[in-house]
Amino acid sequence: MEQNYIYAPALTSEFRCKVPLKETRQLFIVNGKVQGGKSPFSLRLKEGEVMKEMLQIISVRHKSYKEHLATQQDFHFGKGSSGKIIQCSHTFSPDRFRTTEKVTISLERDAVAEFYIMQNEHNNAEHSTSYEVNLGAGAFLKMVFLSLHGGVIRNDIFLDFNEKHAECDLAGLYLTDSKQLMDNNIYVNHLVPECNSNQLFKGILDDEGVARFYGRINVAPDAQKTEAYQANHNLLISDKAKAYTSPQLEIYADDVKCSHGATIGRLNEDELFYMRTRGIPAAEARILQQKAFAYEVLEKISNTELRERMLSLVERRLRGEFSHCSTCIRNCC
Amino acid sequence: MNNDNIMLKISGLKVSIDDREILTGVNLEVRPGEVHAIMGPNGSGKSTLSAVLAGKENYKVTEGEILFEGEDLLKLSPEERSWAGVFLGFQYPIEIPGVTNVNFIKTAVNEHRKRKGLPELSAAQFLKLMRERMAYVEMDSSFTSRGVNVGFSGGEKKRNEIFHMAMLEPKLAILDETDSGLDVDALRVVAGGINRLKTPENATIVITHYQRLLDYIVPDYIHVIYKGRIIKSAGRELAQEIEQRGYDWLIN
């Protein structure tokens, strides 16, 4: 691995995470500058290289730079390599931060990668990220997005299957309140035969929050034996919350299994009444229902400690708190 | 009869849904230690009565009152009724995917304890209590980690209702068609659980179609409800008569 990152760089304690996950190295990027390393950030795993620890990349916007920021991160996984990445983005103040980010991810033959993306910014922040993903033969990529908080959060994923037998599992949970907007646009391109893709995006929308989901699955004429699934489910908690969902399938091959499903709904009243008859107060019952709805996405996080931490962040978020860890006042994961 | 010791007193209760009158004047008194059975043909208002007692919305009480231990029950929310000691066993228990049975009942038990000024149970205490009460209805521990009622068979759902009842120890349990969809073995288990929970201080209202359940749970009183009111009240011998003669002789 290129030593492009250093643990615990010379950083003021303001930025440090006080409760890092076990077996995780942390890298800080402040206003687009990699702390203790070259910018923009790039990570290259050599053939067969296995990352022993997770790498947590914590990008923060700080009031010392309020201009529009354009940044980039590049990840390359060589043949048969594997690793887990946590990408966190935060703002440290309620300034009008605008961030445009480009992330490239390429997996060579039989590489395995997991990305957990945690987005937690203030209401004035606008953060748009475009992911360009290329998968080689037999590669497996999992991406789990947790969009907890932010004025405008936009994620565009352009994923190409370039060789056979690759697989991707894309999942996202987005939570909005006040006037937040969460926008997910996903383009999965099956260019070759015998690849699998799975998408599950779920949102809980409160107040006047808005979510947009656009999911396009394209299956090229040659891409026989493709399996491609997509689901987008939205829960409206208030009368003014809105969800727009556009599932799109374009299939030019004839021997494929594809499906899509999109729903926009409310909390189930029968469940609510049942819980209340057992003495669970209505407000608590609604939280239980929302946690249950969110869990389907969160259970995709394979690391138990990370999953528990995300669960607790989501729960506190659903209770209307700006999420932060129990032992720290910073809004990190 | 001792009037001072009435747990539940329903007087002249009229209930409508969407301007259609379902209950047309129900009177009922239940005292601690009693078991009442409410029987009646389909559509007579049995389930409406249980839903109104539990506090389901969309039912409009147009006349009459319900007093529970002297307090106006209709003023209370469903959760407040539960804390006061009213329990409804559902005819069709609701499935809640993603909420595990153990989390669900733990939340419920601790909410009850909070209202009584008791501290939350420790994990060990809770586990012990849960194991003990699951044994009442012969449920094995695999049910705890599954979503509430999700993928449960009809019999398992009804056993789960009685398990919830065993955990919450209500003063008044209203069991709506708890026997429906049960085979003989499941019926025996469910009834065994209900009988085990019976004390001189609590009371049970079982709502049922058939006399079958009453072979296992012996009622003190049987009421026949028809067209939204109780048309006949008698002792347990009435069940036999209904089994043999049906409801027609009562209706006409």
Side-chain angles (χ1 to χ4, degrees), chain A residues 147-148 150 174-182 204-211 241-242 317:
Chain A
S147 308
L148 277 180
Y174 43 90
L175 311 174
T176 66
D177 60 16
S178 58
K179 292 190 171 182
Q180 296 171 344
L181 167 65
M182 304 271 178
I204 303 175
L205 316 172
D206 203 349
D207 299 338
E208 294 175 51
V210 177
K242 287 193 178 108
R317 173 74 169 100

Side-chain angles (χ1 to χ4, degrees), chain B residues 169-189:
Chain B
E169 299 179 322
K171 291 175 185 163
L172 175 67
I174 304 140
L175 305 174
D176 189 8
E177 306 262 356
T178 293
D179 51 339
S180 68
L182 295 187
D183 61 30
V184 177
D185 289 329
L187 183 63
R188 182 186 48 75
V189 171

Side-chain angles (χ1 to χ4, degrees), chain A residues 169-194:
Chain A
D169 190 6
L170 308 177
L173 174 69
Y174 43 90
L175 311 174
T176 66
D177 60 16
S178 58
K179 292 190 171 182
Q180 296 171 344
L181 167 65
M182 304 271 178
D183 191 357
N184 288 294
N185 302 279
I186 294 144
Y187 300 80
V188 171
N189 217 353
H190 284 267
L191 300 167
V192 293
E194 295 170 45

Side-chain angles (χ1 to χ4, degrees), chain B residues 153-200:
Chain B
S153 71
E156 287 163 350
K157 283 180 181 170
K158 296 301 173 73
R159 279 197 266 172
N160 202 27
E161 293 295 283
I162 306 306
F163 163 61
H164 290 170
M165 175 180 160
M167 291 298 283
L168 299 175
E169 299 179 322
K171 291 175 185 163
L172 175 67
I174 304 140
L175 305 174
D176 189 8
E177 306 262 356
T178 293
D179 51 339
S180 68
L182 295 187
D183 61 30
V184 177
D185 289 329
L187 183 63
R188 182 186 48 75
V189 171
V190 165
I194 296 166
N195 286 330
R196 180 147 186 192
L197 291 166
K198 195 168 155 22
T199 71

